[in-house]
Amino acid sequence: MANEELMEEMDTEGTLITLEDEEGNEVEFEFLDVVEYEGEEYVVLIENDEEADEVVILKINPIDDDTEEYTSIEDEDLLEKLFEIFKQKYEGEINFE
């Protein structure tokens, strides 16, 4: 699914996504953006909690035209690059500490 289609489908800001953590607990996240890097797409989320102060970046893996899965990223260097892209895109709009 192309970045533009995903953005339209999710209607961007305020969209909530429920995912399961490693223990099988449901966790609700707010969709922030989709970042493209080296031909791959990554979703940027933040936990839907007033105390949340870290974003979560997951790789988007299309399964078919209507379904995709999100997988965690183990490569710390890749995570840093993706976070830098996200920060540059929202510089001045989001306060990064």
Side-chain angles (χ1 to χ4, degrees):
M1 180 176 297
N3 185 10
E4 296 79 25
E5 292 173 18
L6 181 62
M7 297 291 282
E8 288 174 19
E9 179 181 303
M10 298 183 94
D11 200 14
T12 65
E13 193 173 323
T15 298
L16 300 178
I17 299 171
T18 302
L19 302 174
E20 282 188 14
D21 65 12
E22 295 83 24
E23 289 88 40
N25 301 312
E26 289 189 351
V27 181
E28 193 171 65
F29 292 90
E30 182 176 347
F31 170 83
L32 298 178
D33 199 7
V34 170
V35 174
E36 289 187 42
Y37 181 71
E38 293 187 349
E40 302 285 350
E41 291 184 323
Y42 302 87
V43 64
V44 182
L45 308 170
I46 190 164
E47 192 170 340
N48 188 31
D49 181 336
E50 290 179 16
E51 304 290 317
D53 62 355
E54 291 185 4
V55 297
V56 174
I57 302 174
L58 302 170
K59 184 173 189 244
I60 300 173
N61 297 307
I63 295 173
D64 58 38
D65 289 342
D66 299 321
T67 310
E68 57 193 19
E69 68 177 0
Y70 306 129
T71 55
S72 59
I73 302 165
E74 303 297 323
D75 183 341
E76 292 295 322
D77 290 336
L78 176 57
L79 283 171
E80 281 296 319
K81 287 176 188 168
L82 294 169
F83 187 57
E84 285 302 316
I85 293 168
F86 176 73
K87 284 188 350 184
Q88 287 175 1
K89 188 172 180 181
Y90 288 95
E91 189 174 2
E93 293 179 43
I94 298 176
N95 182 21
F96 297 100
E97 294 179 13

